[in-house]
Amino acid sequence: MKYTIKEDPHKNELVQKVMEISGENIFSCYQCGRCSSGCPMAEFMDVLPNQVFMFLQEGDVDTLLNAKTPWICAACFTCTVRCPVGLDLAAVMEAIRELQLRKNYDYVDPYKVEDREELPPIALVSNFRKFTP
């Protein structure tokens, strides 16, 4: 069954793209809030995990693309374990990050990272994988 949004066709395409990349049906979420209540990173997020699904269901992808939440998500899968429907919010967050990274904008300049020599190389590598296209 294919779901559609009655708003802007561009937003509809982005929502469909998030669903395609993540493999999740975002319209299954009924806003119980368990993902937000169990998220260890929720206090640092500007959009709560359950609100991610709400914005997607409403077709407001721009809010999510400009939010810090997808980048703060630790992908710990607490939300997935707690979800009564079995939605994988970590996959949805990864899809949102992927859409943002496809714009080919580097969020981290390796030459401007302070204390590069003191940081473990694996921390730098994982950061660059997450924040650069």
Side-chain angles (χ1 to χ4, degrees), residues 47-66:
V47 176
L48 292 174
N50 69 304
Q51 292 173 332
V52 170
F53 284 116
M54 181 190 68
F55 282 121
L56 287 171
Q57 289 170 349
E58 293 176 353
D60 190 2
V61 182
D62 294 332
T63 299
L64 298 175
L65 291 175
N66 295 319

Side-chain angles (χ1 to χ4, degrees), residues 62-107:
D62 294 332
T63 299
L64 298 175
L65 291 175
N66 295 319
K68 295 178 183 176
T69 295
W71 304 103
I72 293 173
C73 174
C76 64
F77 299 103
T78 302
C79 51
T80 303
V81 171
R82 294 177 61 98
C83 181
V85 182
L87 290 171
D88 187 358
L89 181 57
V92 173
M93 295 286 202
E94 179 64 27
I96 295 167
R97 286 193 297 262
E98 182 69 27
L99 287 177
Q100 190 70 352
L101 288 174
R102 287 180 181 180
K103 294 179 180 179
N104 287 331
Y105 177 78
D106 290 333
Y107 292 91

Side-chain angles (χ1 to χ4, degrees), residues 4-78:
T4 58
I5 299 169
K6 297 178 183 177
E7 291 186 20
D8 183 10
H10 174 69
K11 290 181 180 179
N12 188 10
E13 289 174 19
L14 289 175
V15 171
Q16 295 298 331
K17 199 67 168 167
V18 168
M19 290 174 51
E20 178 185 328
I21 293 170
S22 67
E24 296 297 319
N25 180 359
I26 56 120
F27 295 99
S28 302
C29 176
Y30 57 86
Q31 296 294 315
C32 68
R34 290 183 185 179
C35 53
S36 295
S37 66
C39 180
M41 301 304 290
E43 65 181 287
F44 306 106
M45 295 179 172
D46 50 354
V47 176
L48 292 174
N50 69 304
Q51 292 173 332
V52 170
F53 284 116
M54 181 190 68
F55 282 121
L56 287 171
Q57 289 170 349
E58 293 176 353
D60 190 2
V61 182
D62 294 332
T63 299
L64 298 175
L65 291 175
N66 295 319
K68 295 178 183 176
T69 295
W71 304 103
I72 293 173
C73 174
C76 64
F77 299 103
T78 302

Side-chain angles (χ1 to χ4, degrees), residues 107-128:
Y107 292 91
V108 178
D109 183 357
Y111 299 105
K112 292 183 180 178
V113 174
E114 297 176 15
D115 302 323
R116 252 190 340 244
E117 288 75 27
E118 296 176 18
L119 292 171
I122 191 69
L124 292 171
V125 170
S126 65
N127 182 301
F128 294 142

